[in-house]
Amino acid sequence: MSWIVDARLGLLVPVALIAISLVRSLQKKRADPPLPPGPPQLPVVGNVLSIDSKAPWNTYAAWCADYGDLVYARFFSQDVVIINSEKIAKDLLDKRSNNYSDRPFLPTRIPFRWTHNFAFTPYGNEWRLARRLFHQSFRAEAALDFRPMQLRKARQLLNNLTDTPQSYQAHVTTFAASVAMSATYDYETAPLDDPFVGMVDRALYLGLKFMTPETTAILNAFPFLLRLPTWFPGSSMKRNALVSTQYVTEMIESPLQYVQESMASGTAGPSLASDLLKRKEQQESDRLPEFEQALRQASSTAFVGGSETTSSALLTFILAMVLHPHVQERAQAEIDAVVGKDRLPDFDDQPSLPYIEAILREVNRWQPVLPLGVAHAATNSDVYDGYYIPKGAAVVANTWEMSRNEIIYPRPSEFIPERFLDAGGQLLDANAPTFMFGFGRRICPGRYTAEASIWAVIASTLAVFEFSKAKDAQGNDIEFVPTFTSGLTRHPNPFPCRVTPRSGVNSEKLARLMDPIA
Ligand code: HEM
């Protein structure tokens, strides 16, 4: 809690703890139907203290082993139901989606101006309109229009990797940001220090820091922390909220202004924002305010939702190639056999490259980018399999545990694309993972664009580069144990990696290969 309260505020907390404890002790335990089984709770804090804050999915996995696929926990006053199996996730979040499409209350959403992001908007008409506007550009058929741009960006990535291979992480981040900015605003990002990307980074950094489940649980329990005036000693919360509001406003308005200016000068290409700005002109005046709000939500969520997630998956791909040279060799042999060496793969080749597809699936499964998805919430109380799910409970689909299902994915911690292929090397449909994109009415609406981006990078980079372990001064491989970031999204921390041209590929050849599209 030290990042929220200083020593003086610490005096207020025990008072609040005692008050909550009294209220809790007056509340009756449910007997029939019972809550799902779960770990024993401490007074007031519930299970918060037993969570591994760096990797909560590990705590949930341990609870799953002890209590089963549906677990009940409590973080302060927040009921939490953790779903550890895909079947239960589908039963509740897909089949009963009218009851499980809300989001848990986020105390920082309004003060930090995270109302712009419809991923956190409560279920209702406001969310529905923003999602509908978003969907029109990112649904499966519409997302096909992004593909030439995605290939072009993947080829820019090849150039960047050729010039400064050691900056592979920055290049991958630039690729993901650049696809998102192009699809949303038809804006070409600068390879380094792009002003709009900087605005998003600033807003995201501050916002996500205060949107973690732990902070949320504390603020839900002690909402007064958000109301303390800025002059109150130790109150950083309100000041951070003001700065966040300023950053978020800048992040939303500046790119929209860019699109408006491009439209006025006749230089705007197709994009989500230009399409919505045109449609705004046709709205009745009484609907204009809600359309304006949805337009801002749809466009800013596209960038925020699309860049960090995609770059995380791509870093996992590079890590997998460095650690598994035999997978890389098999993929390159497939590309050489199907595409040849005189051109780069494009989306027409996709159906003929099952091993590349299997790598894409395994990247998504092996290290899920959102190990706990984004929590849903129960609109009303419900009963499932004899267990009571309280109204307002946060419902967490434990994607991590689903990715570790040994029956569907034997040896789950290993990277084995072959698990998705039959004996003849053709793709199996039965075990294709989809859980990493979430469930029900909230399922990731950017998934078609995300998968196309990841495919474009896998196929393009493997056609011309080799990823391998970096060498030390003596020319020996630098061995390492991969580590990962933690938070809402997760990706590998920087690791020593060498990106070298495949034999027969030099800069002239690369320039020739890229010519038709560049
Ligand atoms: C590897 C890439 C990606 C992964 C793993 C991923 C995963 C997810 C997950 C797990 C959710 C929450 C679903 C739920 O609540 O059940 C989500 C929501 C969302 N994603 Fe993605 N995503 C990815 C890429 C993208 C991209 C590229 C975009 C935009 C173009 C995007 C836009 C969104 C939006 C707008 C939501 C909020 C949906 C809502 O609340 O209605 N995502 N994503």
Side-chain angles (χ1 to χ4, degrees), residues 75-94:
F75 301 164
F76 290 98
S77 54
Q78 174 69 59
D79 296 304
V80 182
V81 171
I82 299 149
I83 300 176
N84 293 308
S85 86
E86 216 173 329
K87 178 185 178 313
I88 300 180
K90 286 184 174 158
D91 283 353
L92 291 179
L93 307 184
D94 285 356

Side-chain angles (χ1 to χ4, degrees), residues 209-492:
K209 198 166 145 198
F210 290 95
M211 306 268 268
T212 61
E214 300 88 353
T215 313
T216 302
I218 290 166
L219 289 171
N220 273 333
F222 311 116
F224 68 85
L225 291 173
L226 267 167
R227 289 198 288 274
L228 291 174
T230 44
W231 51 262
F232 193 87
S235 156
S236 58
M237 218 35 183
K238 205 157 176 179
R239 269 194 302 278
N240 278 316
L242 291 175
V243 177
S244 173
T245 301
Q246 184 197 330
Y247 285 173
V248 168
T249 306
E250 185 187 45
M251 170 186 93
I252 298 171
E253 299 304 332
S254 300
L256 273 183
Q257 200 180 334
Y258 163 84
V259 179
Q260 273 162 329
E261 285 165 9
S262 314
M263 288 169 79
S265 64
T267 55
S271 71
L272 169 79
S274 63
D275 182 41
L276 295 182
L277 285 166
K278 278 184 222 141
R279 288 178 51 196
K280 189 183 106 177
E281 305 305 323
Q282 294 140 25
Q283 300 302 310
E284 307 283 341
S285 57
D286 58 332
R287 291 206 53 218
L288 207 52
E290 66 171 346
F291 191 88
E292 289 252 19
Q293 149 117 333
L295 178 161
R296 282 169 167 70
Q297 287 175 320
S299 46
S300 65
T301 310
F303 185 84
V304 171
S307 40
E308 162 94 5
T309 45
T310 305
S311 61
S312 297
L314 291 174
L315 290 172
T316 294
F317 155 67
I318 297 177
L319 174 68
M321 293 305 100
V322 170
L323 296 177
H324 304 93
H326 64 282
V327 169
Q328 181 165 236
E329 273 163 34
R330 180 166 173 185
Q332 289 172 331
E334 182 181 70
I335 294 173
D336 292 349
V338 171
V339 180
K341 291 191 169 185
D342 295 325
R343 66 178 181 88
L344 290 168
D346 62 35
F347 283 103
D348 291 339
D349 300 310
Q350 196 171 6
S352 317
L353 296 169
Y355 196 68
I356 299 295
E357 200 68 28
I359 292 178
L360 166 63
R361 288 183 187 181
E362 186 65 341
V363 164
N364 282 333
R365 182 208 66 84
W366 183 49
Q367 302 295 337
V369 170
L370 286 101
L372 297 173
V374 181
H376 291 223
T379 306
N380 289 304
S381 59
D382 191 15
V383 175
Y384 178 78
D385 204 18
Y387 292 118
Y388 180 76
I389 298 177
K391 174 183 164 125
V395 181
V396 177
N398 186 358
T399 308
W400 180 263
E401 191 60 24
M402 295 173 201
S403 76
R404 265 50 193 163
N405 183 327
E406 295 197 11
I407 297 168
I408 309 178
Y409 311 112
R411 290 151 56 202
S413 55
E414 294 175 34
F415 187 85
I416 312 176
E418 285 76 4
R419 65 174 88 248
F420 298 113
L421 299 173
D422 65 18
Q426 292 310 304
L427 280 168
L428 293 165
D429 281 334
N431 62 354
T434 55
F435 51 77
M436 61 279 173
F437 289 116
F439 296 91
R441 293 180 197 180
R442 290 283 190 163
I443 192 170
C444 174
R447 60 197 185 281
Y448 308 107
T449 307
E451 293 212 308
S453 284
I454 301 167
W455 187 90
V457 170
I458 296 178
S460 307
T461 55
L462 289 184
V464 293
F465 290 122
E466 202 137 308
F467 297 101
S468 56
K469 287 183 183 154
K471 306 258 185 220
D472 63 18
Q474 285 70 46
N476 301 317
D477 284 350
I478 301 176
E479 302 297 336
F480 65 95
V481 176
T483 58
F484 291 81
T485 59
S486 71
L488 187 64
T489 59
R490 180 174 181 274
H491 61 74

